Amino acid sequence: MSHEHGHTCGNCGDHECSASQRRNDESAAEFAERQKLESSLCRIRHKIVVMSGKGGVGKSTVAVNLATALMLAGKRVGLLDVDIHGPSVPTMLGLENEQLRQDENGLLPAEIGDLKVMSLGFLLQDQDQAVIWRGPMKMGAIKQFLKDVYWGDLDYLIIDSPPGTGDEPLSVCQLITDLDGAVIVTTPQKVAAVDVRKSVTFCHQLKVPVLGIVENMSGFACPKCGEVTPILSSGGGRRIAEDMGVPFLGAIPMDIQVAQACDNGQAFIHHYAASPTAGILRDIIAPIIALDDAVATSSGVPSPSTQENAMRFAIPLADGKLTPHFGHCAAFALLDVDPVGKIVLGRQDVDAPPHEPGLLPHWLGERGVTRIIAGGMGQRARDLFIERGIEVTVGAPRETPEKLVADFLAGTLQTGENACDH
Ligand code: ADP
């Protein structure tokens, strides 16, 4: 199958493609349907299914945050929720009232910023409705969502699959023949171990690569000090990953803000970007972002920069957003950007040093910062930064670091007055 963007079967010259020829065993209608499915999937560079052995382990939470994090990193992302019996993505993203829409291209996904979302939940009139589906109906519904939703060109499609190893994950894996792989979510205790092993074996049998295991609810993150206390026995996910020879992507603690964000219909990683748990999530998705960077490099698209020419932005933070109190902020978000591809490569949040006049230019310089985006700053501090070769943008609004950097890179950052707090 071709991975060129923008192609449809009608104008694609790839005669090797499995969708170019009708098979002996398929009718004209079946062929047309398969061609439609493959031409839709052909425009999506990476397809990743998020699975779990059982329900309630945080699979949808991981899927939503993975998709949002990829979007924040500048990728074009779709999130497809095919959890037929418990579609929770609409609730988690505040899309409960979303109605299914369509135009001549097909069913239209809902859009939150640059994230495209489609859920079986959009089909249900009321959230309490129980859906009774027979096996073939489930397969049909999933196929329809892959074939008839107009995703357009995407870098990633993240699929939130129902738990277990039944009909629905089987349909996903059979319909998408070029899945990049599965992320398997589990909780740390022993009872979850049997199920996660089944999920890994399921992937092996279907020849779907396991991108890795995520251990969720791994200890409790204290909302006051951030210290993680083990509650369920921990380390189960890591042990199984080692045992079964698949990557371990990381452990996410139980965090009240994660639960709150889900209940409030907000993507945690976006709205609580400065929290330590968000940092953990970003580490977990790093190998998944790297999948696209590897493709971009091999296809001649400029590769992520080397250390020498990378840009590092510093943004003073309060409650996850820029604070105008530059000199007295509690933390800085440091975002690394590839200047050629103009994509955010990663972010880390660091506590600010104790307040001491004249310290910050040295302190941020030592940390490799090349540009500051601030609400306000005194002239003397600005001069000190400029002397160190650090550029400063002032008058930026109270937004998340990702939004500020994205706007800056796009040349659309709106700056107002230098809101200096001194
Ligand atoms: P699944 O998709 O596996 O059924 P969900 O993602 O729907 O699980 O999560 C179940 C519940 O647990 C949700 O209410 C979610 O907010 C909560 N949850 C998931 N992960 C965490 C976490 N790390 N900390 C706190 N709550 C969590």
Side-chain angles (χ1 to χ4, degrees):
M1 238 195 291
S2 163
H3 287 269
E4 288 287 300
H5 284 187
H7 280 198
T8 64
C9 285
N11 66 15
C12 176
D14 183 358
H15 301 295
E16 301 288 302
C17 173
S18 60
S20 64
Q21 297 290 328
R22 183 170 148 191
R23 290 193 206 122
N24 292 337
D25 62 346
E26 66 188 352
S27 67
E30 283 166 343
F31 175 51
E33 188 170 70
R34 185 167 63 85
Q35 231 184 11
K36 192 158 182 227
L37 174 70
E38 294 198 11
S39 67
S40 173
L41 294 177
C42 185
R43 298 176 68 178
I44 305 172
R45 282 226 287 234
H46 303 284
K47 296 111 181 163
I48 292 166
V49 57
V50 182
M51 298 200 220
S52 66
K54 51 165 72 199
V57 299
K59 172 184 51 61
S60 299
T61 308
V62 168
V64 162
N65 283 289
L66 169 60
T68 306
L70 289 166
M71 184 264 288
L72 292 172
K75 306 292 181 190
R76 295 166 301 175
V77 188
L79 172 60
L80 174 62
D81 170 19
V82 290
D83 194 341
I84 289 175
H85 298 286
S88 40
V89 165
T91 314
M92 288 184 179
L93 288 172
L95 294 170
E96 293 100 324
N97 298 322
E98 189 71 26
Q99 299 282 323
L100 212 55
R101 290 171 301 127
Q102 58 182 331
D103 69 5
E104 69 282 359
N105 291 314
L107 297 170
L108 299 176
E111 293 187 25
I112 306 182
D114 289 332
L115 178 64
K116 296 183 174 176
V117 186
M118 181 52 86
S119 168
L120 275 170
F122 299 163
L123 284 174
L124 308 179
Q125 294 305 319
D126 113 45
Q127 285 202 53
D128 300 332
Q129 200 179 339
V131 190
I132 302 163
W133 305 78
R134 282 175 294 109
M137 282 167 73
K138 293 182 194 172
M139 174 90 166
I142 291 174
K143 189 184 220 174
Q144 211 188 347
F145 266 38
L146 289 169
K147 172 172 74 71
D148 295 340
V149 175
Y150 185 68
W151 297 106
D153 294 324
L154 292 181
D155 297 317
Y156 289 88
L157 180 66
I158 306 297
I159 301 148
D160 184 8
S161 152
T165 49
D167 286 339
E168 302 97 317
L170 184 64
S171 303
V172 171
C173 296
Q174 286 177 335
L175 288 167
I176 308 179
T177 47
D178 62 344
L179 269 177
D180 284 68
V183 170
I184 301 175
V185 184
T186 184
T187 47
Q189 70 275 46
K190 267 203 186 129
V191 286
V194 179
D195 299 285
V196 80
R197 282 177 183 278
K198 275 192 204 153
S199 300
V200 175
T201 310
F202 173 86
C203 290
H204 286 340
Q205 282 170 343
L206 293 170
K207 304 211 165 25
V208 170
V210 176
L211 296 173
I213 293 179
V214 175
E215 183 175 296
N216 188 28
M217 308 195 185
S218 183
F220 172 71
C222 170
K224 297 231 161 58
C225 68
E227 193 188 332
V228 176
T229 313
I231 294 188
L232 308 166
S233 56
S234 67
R238 181 186 291 277
R239 268 195 303 279
I240 291 167
E242 278 168 9
D243 254 26
M244 301 194 82
V246 296
F248 180 67
L249 294 173
I252 309 168
M254 241 180 235
D255 183 325
I256 290 173
Q257 289 180 329
V258 171
Q260 278 168 350
C262 284
D263 283 353
N264 295 338
Q266 298 174 321
F268 168 80
I269 200 156
H270 193 187
H271 292 268
Y272 297 90
S275 89
T277 306
I280 292 172
L281 274 164
R282 278 190 291 276
D283 288 345
I284 287 176
I285 68 148
I288 293 166
I289 294 198
L291 285 176
D292 196 52
D293 292 339
V295 171
T297 313
S298 66
S299 64
V301 174
S303 61
S305 58
T306 52
Q307 288 285 318
E308 289 80 48
N309 59 2
M311 295 159 81
R312 175 168 276 192
F313 287 74
I315 291 148
L317 278 184
D319 295 329
K321 293 192 172 170
L322 176 142
T323 170
H325 306 296
F326 182 81
H328 293 88
C329 70
F332 286 95
L334 305 182
L335 283 84
D336 288 326
V337 168
D338 169 35
V340 183
K342 294 202 168 173
I343 52 169
V344 176
L345 301 169
R347 166 177 168 177
Q348 51 174 306
D349 293 351
V350 289
D351 289 340
H355 181 64
E356 204 180 295
L359 175 65
L360 277 174
H362 171 72
W363 190 85
L364 288 169
E366 260 189 343
R367 280 157 185 76
V369 170
T370 56
R371 175 173 291 274
I372 291 165
I373 299 182
M377 191 186 292
Q379 190 57 47
R380 173 150 166 68
R382 287 177 78 174
D383 291 344
L384 288 173
F385 281 117
I386 291 161
E387 271 171 32
R388 288 199 69 100
I390 300 177
E391 295 177 86
V392 181
T393 300
V394 291
R398 289 179 203 240
E399 282 291 353
T400 59
E402 282 79 7
K403 168 132 181 49
L404 292 168
V405 170
D407 287 352
F408 178 87
L409 294 170
T412 56
L413 180 66
Q414 301 278 343
T415 51
E417 277 192 19
N418 179 1
C420 174
D421 50 323
H422 292 103

